Amino acid sequence: MKKSIQELIKQRILILDGAMGTMIQQYNLKEEDFRGKRFQSIPGQMKGNNDLLNITRPDVIKDIHRKYLEAGADIIETNTFNATSISLSDYHVEDLVKEINLEATKIARSIANEYTLLTPNKPRFVVGSVGPTNKTTSMSPDVNNPAYRSVTYDDVASAYLEQIEALLEGGVDAILIETIFDTLNAKAAIYAAEEAMNKTGRNVPLMLSITVSDTGGRTLSGQTLDAFLASVQHADIFSIGLNCSFGASQLKPFLKQLASRAPYYISAYPNAGLPNSLGGYDQTPQEMAVQVKEYIDEGLINIIGGCCGTTDAYIAEYSAIIAGAQPHSPAAKPGVLWLSGLELLEVKPEMNFVNIGERCNVAGSRKFLRLIQEKKYDEALSIARKQVEDGALIIDVNMDDGLLDAQEEMTTFLNLIASEPEIARVPIMIDSSKWEVIVAGLKCIQGKSIVNSISLKEGEEKFLQYARAVKQYGAAVVVMAFDEKGQADTFERKVEVCERAYHLLVDKVGFNPCDIIFDPNVLAIATGMEEHNNYAVDFINAVGWIKKNLPGASISGGISNLSFSFRGNNYIREAMHAVFLYHAIREGLDMGIVNPATSVLYTDIPSDILEKLEDVVLNRRPDAAERLIELAEGLKNTSTDKTQEKRQDTWRTGTLQERLQYALVKGVSDYLDDDLKEALTIYNKAVDIIEGPLMAGMNYVGELFGAGKMFLPQVVKTARTMKKAVSFLQPIIEAEKHDGISSAGKVLLATVKGDVHDIGKNIVSVVMACNGYEIIDLGVMVPAETIVQQAIENKVDIIGLSGLITPSLEEMVNVAIELEKAGLNIPLLIGGATTSQLHTALKIAPVYGGPVIHLKDASQNAGVAGKLLNPELQKDFVRELDNTYKTLRENRNEIKQEVVSLEEAQKNKLNLF
Ligand code: THG
């Protein structure tokens, strides 16, 4: 009987295959191969649609699998990386999802079985490859609208469900969700995988593989690996690992980090080194094997394979280095509550207390309510940001108001928070009494959040249903001490309800006890009603009981509820909270929803006041409330917020340059108008401000990014701030232009087909518009034909192509060929990460008659365009350019392609600005 993958992995390291794309390239397939007879009439280009080859050239795919099996692979991946309706729709073949996945599985299955028969003691496995899709649910593709999403969680989940169902039906041995760059996409895939397994009745191991996108070791959507682990902790995961990103040696520190924390088997399939400036990979199989051997020797690995640039020759090296090696033994499960935003929050006992910011609550703050009603989201976000600055480790968000569409507001606000790295750093607590609002919130958040709340109010059945859903979405949950009889107000009732809920969650739902947070109801005291006097005591005692009797669970409460009867007297309120927290934390309170700006410390409360407060909180005498009220009236209502505000604004005392740089680096636009007004009095022209201090600030951001000190979402925020600055200056620039002078020239801009990145392009657009050019922006994913047609129709003077990912290099060549075919010689500007002068010189310039210029960053565009459109300057410029390109080509023949350093690769990435 063939051993299962679960048995085999305990015994030895398993070999996964190498890249599919690199192998397909070796067959030099033509457009006709991809189309076959069947797809002759589908519009657009079909070359590059590798997944379609399962139908049109199954012989090639089978041959590739055979080579990998021959090279010693224990596991091969189906050729289905892009086989979801979302990715296939780029090629207008989104109807073929089921067929492609079934065919791909059939091909892989048959050849794997063949090899299992040949080598029965080395059984071969087929894993269904599930790629990230080309869209992200966590980020906005629109610079002007950070709340916008081109796809939703539901879109992605249903696309994945269709794919994974077919893979399971076809008979894969495991599902591999790979090249994960966005955790929300991955969570939707995990959700879909569970659904698909339930539907098909085939329960197979779930494997995950992340790709890190920067030297700081974060995903593209900005999460650290630790944060990622928290986000997917709810799933039944077989293995986790890293693929793509970098070569083996650059990947190692991140792999180590993952292996030290992840309670799963570990996989790795790196690229064949770092890409060279042409987007190719030069590391030899032997060189790569030396680096991979280090992983093995350090006990990091259970499954090893290859990504971009690897072929069967690389995989063939592995058998020797894994022989007799000790497989990695997974880390222990955490045993404490893990939450995450962009970063991990591990609620460890020694943390003492986790404060949850209460201020983004329309029911708990008049100001926040007004801002949401008036759709002043920027200011509403500032409230969230301030709470994090004040030390909130989690942010509570509540949109429950009769006159608001709570579901829509929750979605908008959480999407906006996702674009604010300073806020998104921390986990979110989704606070609503409406289930639909909670679900809407869960579908927006890549981190591991907290649902606030569920309870037994509507009976056991509903409670279990909600709890199962929370678990499947991967959140922790606040359970309020409510049941069918109502709110638990006494110690006995609190304990009774929490205990019952605990057993239902742990025993019936299989909830991780660490993901349960009890809220035994903080109720207002000193209200004048005698039956309220013991509420705080009952709460504190219940905390102690839960801590001792319900292992793993945390305890929280809405602390400000306690002091409602002292509204208007902030000092007394805050002092009362301090006293209450002091006693509750001693009993084991883990967290609380509070105003993080509070500055009253227990130890700072004068003893006469403290005594009266403790009388009230601990219910020590019947007249305690009256005595406190008397005292409160004597005290002025001191506001404690003022000093806090001052402290944060110290950066405002810097020079103009420093302030603008700070605003860009932090992405803070609050003072932008003031600072720019000041700049206008110093600089001669508004354009000079953009090209001077603002560009300098952007370059500084570039350096930080290159050094791994900033990560992509932060940089995106910088870009937004830059855009705001530019739009402030734009009308002034317009006015400064001499009247009547028409446009400096018409510029067509496009991100090429296959690529959705456009932040860099948008900045180029703004900078050039500032310099008087008329911009025709065709957006993203623009096919070559459209670029040609629009260039002709609009009689443009310059064409600018942009792209961030490696395949865009080839697409740019394709566009140049199409422009040449159309007989054009309009100057072509090339920009974006992965583009390089070398690639431009070697691959793009030779296929096009017009000038082709590579630009390093957005600040160069206007200058170059100016030269190109001036007949006198153009001659010299183009001659010089030709010479440079010639030298580059000649040198290239002598020395082997230079390998760009990691830092260079990072800087290239920033070319998008
Ligand atoms: N448990 C759980 N969740 C909760 C609560 C709880 N969520 C909501 C609430 N209770 C906790 N949040 C707040 C937020 C603000 C205030 C009280 C609790 C508050 N606000 C001032 C007031 O009403 O006087 C508002 C002043 C202003 O408008 O600025 O006190 O118990 N799980």
Side-chain angles (χ1 to χ4, degrees):
M1 203 6 226
K2 171 179 157 178
K3 276 206 174 121
S4 69
I5 195 165
Q6 290 100 323
E7 289 170 303
L8 213 56
I9 200 155
K10 291 189 190 131
Q11 298 167 0
R12 63 177 175 86
I13 294 172
L14 301 179
I15 300 177
L16 180 71
D17 59 7
M20 178 57 73
T22 318
M23 292 292 266
I24 289 176
Q25 272 171 22
Q26 294 183 352
Y27 290 77
N28 284 320
L29 300 178
K30 303 274 166 327
E31 182 70 19
E32 307 85 77
D33 294 296
F34 282 84
R35 283 182 183 273
K37 286 211 177 67
R38 182 167 155 197
F39 303 111
Q40 263 160 8
S41 58
I42 296 181
Q45 179 186 312
M46 206 52 70
K47 195 175 161 194
N49 185 358
N50 288 350
D51 301 49
L52 195 61
L53 296 172
N54 293 307
I55 296 176
T56 48
R57 292 295 305 268
D59 55 318
V60 169
I61 303 306
K62 191 165 185 169
D63 200 40
I64 293 172
H65 287 321
R66 183 195 308 280
K67 285 178 180 163
Y68 278 128
L69 291 164
E70 202 56 47
D74 297 290
I75 307 169
I76 55 173
E77 281 190 50
T78 55
N79 175 34
T80 54
F81 187 81
N82 284 310
T84 55
S85 54
I86 294 176
S87 298
L88 290 178
S89 68
D90 283 356
Y91 293 99
H92 316 288
V93 291
E94 63 274 20
D95 303 340
L96 300 178
V97 171
K98 185 160 183 176
E99 186 179 350
I100 289 178
N101 284 285
L102 281 173
E103 284 307 311
T105 312
K106 206 164 98 189
I107 299 166
R109 189 74 274 169
S110 69
I111 186 95
N113 290 352
E114 212 176 279
Y115 273 77
T116 302
L117 279 177
L118 283 173
T119 59
N121 58 346
K122 185 180 166 73
R124 313 298 177 113
F125 301 96
V126 174
V127 303
S129 161
V130 176
T133 81
N134 52 9
K135 296 218 158 71
T136 145
T137 43
S138 292
M139 290 179 283
S140 170
D142 179 354
V143 209
N144 296 315
N145 182 4
Y148 173 73
R149 294 293 182 271
S150 58
V151 279
T152 63
Y153 180 94
D154 287 333
D155 298 337
V156 175
S158 68
Y160 277 133
L161 181 61
E162 186 186 16
Q163 175 182 32
I164 298 173
E165 248 189 276
L167 290 169
L168 290 171
E169 265 176 46
V172 295
D173 297 307
I175 295 291
L176 171 55
I177 300 169
E178 62 177 333
T179 322
I180 295 168
F181 64 77
D182 178 322
T183 314
L184 191 56
N185 283 30
K187 286 208 283 186
I190 292 169
Y191 189 94
E194 279 181 22
E195 291 283 311
M197 289 187 209
N198 289 337
K199 267 177 115 169
T200 56
R202 288 205 62 227
N203 222 320
V204 304
L206 185 63
M207 303 163 69
L208 304 183
S209 185
I210 312 155
T211 183
V212 292
S213 324
D214 60 37
T215 44
R218 293 186 186 240
T219 61
L220 186 75
S221 55
Q223 265 196 325
T224 63
L225 292 173
D226 290 353
F228 180 89
L229 285 175
S231 294
V232 299
Q233 196 197 1
H234 60 290
D236 186 6
I237 297 168
F238 175 69
S239 68
I240 205 161
L242 298 175
N243 73 291
C244 213
S245 322
F246 313 120
S249 70
Q250 293 79 11
L251 206 58
K252 193 168 122 187
F254 308 125
L255 193 65
K256 263 184 150 163
Q257 192 191 337
L258 193 67
S260 70
R261 259 188 189 276
Y264 322 107
Y265 295 113
I266 298 292
S267 66
Y269 44 118
N271 294 339
L274 284 172
N276 58 40
S277 41
L278 300 183
Y281 295 84
D282 306 319
Q283 198 172 52
T284 66
Q286 293 73 25
E287 283 162 356
M288 183 166 174
V290 170
Q291 298 181 353
V292 165
K293 189 162 180 304
E294 288 182 21
Y295 294 180
I296 312 269
D297 292 345
E298 291 178 37
L300 300 176
I301 293 292
N302 301 99
I303 300 168
I304 187 76
C307 204
C308 306
T310 61
T311 61
D312 52 331
Y314 292 73
I315 301 305
E317 294 287 322
Y318 289 169
S319 295
I321 56 179
I322 64 159
Q326 189 65 31
H328 170 77
S329 28
K333 287 214 157 83
V336 292
L337 172 58
W338 270 4
L339 298 167
S340 65
L342 295 180
E343 284 155 32
L344 173 71
L345 175 63
E346 191 173 22
V347 183
K348 291 190 259 191
E350 60 267 31
M351 283 192 78
N352 195 29
F353 182 68
V354 170
N355 55 349
I356 304 162
E358 68 176 18
R359 299 273 105 193
C360 291
N361 180 343
V362 293
S365 159
R366 274 156 297 192
K367 183 174 175 197
F368 188 73
L369 174 64
R370 178 179 56 80
L371 294 174
I372 298 298
Q373 278 168 340
E374 295 172 5
K375 305 216 172 285
K376 292 189 171 150
Y377 294 112
D378 275 352
E379 276 183 68
L381 283 169
S382 296
I383 294 186
R385 191 177 309 111
K386 179 167 183 303
Q387 292 192 92
V388 178
E389 282 165 3
D390 285 337
L393 297 179
I394 300 172
I395 297 285
D396 181 84
V397 178
N398 183 317
M399 295 291 180
D400 287 352
D401 178 89
L403 297 176
L404 288 176
D405 181 338
Q407 202 171 319
E408 192 184 307
E409 295 299 349
M410 183 62 85
T411 305
T412 304
F413 195 64
L414 293 183
N415 282 346
L416 286 170
I417 284 184
S419 322
E420 299 284 328
E422 302 286 337
I423 308 170
R425 199 157 65 71
V426 304
I428 303 293
M429 176 176 257
I430 309 167
D431 188 348
S432 177
S433 51
K434 297 194 196 77
W435 177 247
E436 314 78 63
V437 176
I438 288 176
V439 172
L442 286 168
K443 288 177 178 173
C444 301
I445 303 177
Q446 66 169 331
K448 179 170 171 200
S449 43
I450 304 174
V451 165
N452 181 13
S453 59
I454 63 171
S455 80
L456 283 157
K457 189 159 50 180
E458 299 166 83
E460 240 171 72
E461 203 178 311
K462 272 263 174 274
F463 178 74
L464 291 172
Q465 179 200 326
Y466 293 154
R468 289 195 175 103
V470 172
K471 180 169 180 262
Q472 207 181 352
Y473 282 112
V477 71
V478 172
V479 179
M480 295 295 298
F482 263 83
D483 66 3
E484 298 88 336
K485 285 184 255 168
Q487 176 168 268
D489 49 2
T490 61
F491 169 78
E492 289 74 19
R493 285 272 296 141
K494 290 177 200 284
V495 162
E496 172 203 339
V497 177
C498 292
E499 185 173 30
R500 178 176 163 215
Y502 183 86
H503 290 296
L504 285 170
L505 288 172
V506 176
D507 304 337
K508 280 219 167 149
V509 182
F511 222 87
N512 175 357
C514 298
D515 282 348
I516 305 171
I517 301 163
F518 285 111
D519 184 329
N521 301 324
V522 177
L523 303 169
I525 54 170
T527 58
M529 312 249 307
E530 208 198 308
E531 56 272 41
H532 298 169
N533 288 352
N534 210 46
Y535 277 168
V537 176
D538 283 324
F539 181 93
I540 294 167
N541 291 339
V543 169
W545 187 91
I546 293 168
K547 202 71 287 174
K548 281 190 206 79
N549 295 285
L550 306 178
S554 302
I555 309 149
S556 174
I559 307 305
S560 302
N561 306 347
L562 186 77
S563 59
F564 273 146
S565 55
F566 289 89
R567 277 180 161 160
N569 192 326
N570 277 345
Y571 178 77
I572 288 291
R573 286 193 74 173
E574 291 184 11
M576 190 187 261
H577 301 158
V579 169
F580 177 72
L581 283 174
Y582 173 76
H583 293 284
I585 291 169
R586 277 180 18 155
E587 286 299 314
L589 185 72
D590 301 279
M591 48 184 86
I593 309 173
V594 297
N595 181 356
T598 184
S599 55
V600 180
L601 298 179
Y602 180 82
T603 47
D604 291 348
I605 304 171
S607 58
D608 56 326
I609 303 181
L610 182 62
E611 189 192 328
K612 293 204 169 79
L613 282 167
E614 294 206 309
D615 286 346
V616 167
V617 170
L618 303 176
N619 193 18
R620 292 197 296 209
R621 47 192 289 170
D623 59 351
E626 277 157 51
R627 281 159 49 97
L628 184 62
I629 292 165
E630 220 169 88
L631 172 87
E633 275 161 8
L635 285 171
K636 278 220 183 85
N637 182 11
T638 30
S639 168
T640 49
D641 290 346
K642 285 280 185 292
T643 46
Q644 300 279 342
E645 272 165 33
K646 271 207 194 101
R647 180 172 54 77
Q648 283 160 33
D649 291 348
T650 45
W651 69 277
R652 301 297 308 146
T653 58
T655 65
L656 177 66
Q657 285 263 6
E658 284 165 351
R659 276 176 275 142
L660 285 172
Q661 176 163 313
Y662 183 95
L664 284 178
V665 173
K666 296 278 174 182
V668 190
S669 39
D670 301 8
Y671 300 93
L672 214 48
D673 288 10
D674 289 348
D675 287 344
L676 291 173
K677 273 181 204 148
E678 187 183 331
L680 284 167
T681 66
I682 297 170
Y683 289 84
N684 277 335
K685 289 198 314 204
V687 183
D688 297 343
I689 303 172
I690 294 179
E691 286 172 0
L694 291 178
M695 262 304 161
M698 292 301 283
N699 288 338
Y700 180 60
V701 170
E703 276 169 37
L704 292 178
F705 184 66
K709 290 180 183 153
M710 279 179 87
F711 48 92
L712 199 60
Q714 292 175 319
V715 178
V716 170
K717 219 182 133 212
T718 294
R720 292 204 170 102
T721 310
M722 176 74 174
K723 182 137 188 168
K724 273 192 193 144
V726 172
S727 42
F728 175 87
L729 294 171
Q730 211 156 12
I732 305 162
I733 293 168
E734 291 294 325
E736 279 170 358
K737 274 192 216 151
H738 309 296
D739 296 284
I741 289 189
S742 59
S743 127
K746 263 193 194 175
V747 181
L748 181 150
L749 294 177
T751 298
V752 295
K753 186 177 165 166
D755 203 329
V756 296
H757 302 88
D758 65 351
I759 292 168
K761 181 194 62 150
N762 292 339
I763 293 185
V764 169
S765 151
V766 172
V767 172
M768 295 203 70
C770 290
N771 282 281
Y773 292 90
E774 190 185 328
I775 306 295
I776 299 161
D777 189 340
L778 301 183
V780 299
M781 294 284 291
V782 189
E785 309 90 80
T786 313
I787 296 174
V788 173
Q789 181 205 340
Q790 290 291 322
I792 297 172
E793 240 168 58
N794 292 297
K795 300 198 175 66
V796 302
D797 300 300
I798 289 178
I799 300 170
L801 300 182
S802 165
L804 176 110
I805 53 178
T806 311
S808 299
L809 291 176
E810 207 174 315
E811 182 55 24
M812 288 181 181
V813 178
N814 182 40
V815 174
I817 293 173
E818 293 303 318
L819 290 170
E820 179 69 21
K821 275 194 208 154
L824 297 173
N825 63 356
I826 305 167
L828 189 56
L829 305 185
I830 302 292
T834 68
T835 64
S836 64
Q837 196 179 37
L838 187 61
H839 177 266
T840 305
L842 288 174
K843 303 276 174 158
I844 311 180
V847 300
Y848 184 52
V852 186
I853 304 98
H854 173 254
L855 294 156
K856 263 170 65 183
D857 63 55
S859 65
Q860 295 188 317
N861 283 268
V864 168
K867 287 184 196 152
L868 285 169
L869 297 186
N870 178 326
E872 279 175 24
L873 294 178
Q874 198 201 35
K875 264 193 203 149
D876 285 346
F877 181 71
V878 171
R879 193 177 311 122
E880 223 174 276
L881 194 69
D882 282 344
N883 283 336
T884 315
Y885 285 176
K886 218 172 125 210
T887 323
L888 279 170
R889 285 185 207 120
E890 282 162 4
N891 288 349
R892 153 109 179 131
N893 293 337
E894 284 155 29
I895 42 166
K896 209 175 157 240
Q897 248 161 253
E898 105 250 38
V899 176
V900 285
S901 72
L902 197 55
E903 252 128 89
E904 273 304 306
Q906 285 303 317
K907 273 197 203 122
N908 280 344
K909 203 176 238 175
L910 218 84
N911 282 350
L912 72 166
F913 302 105

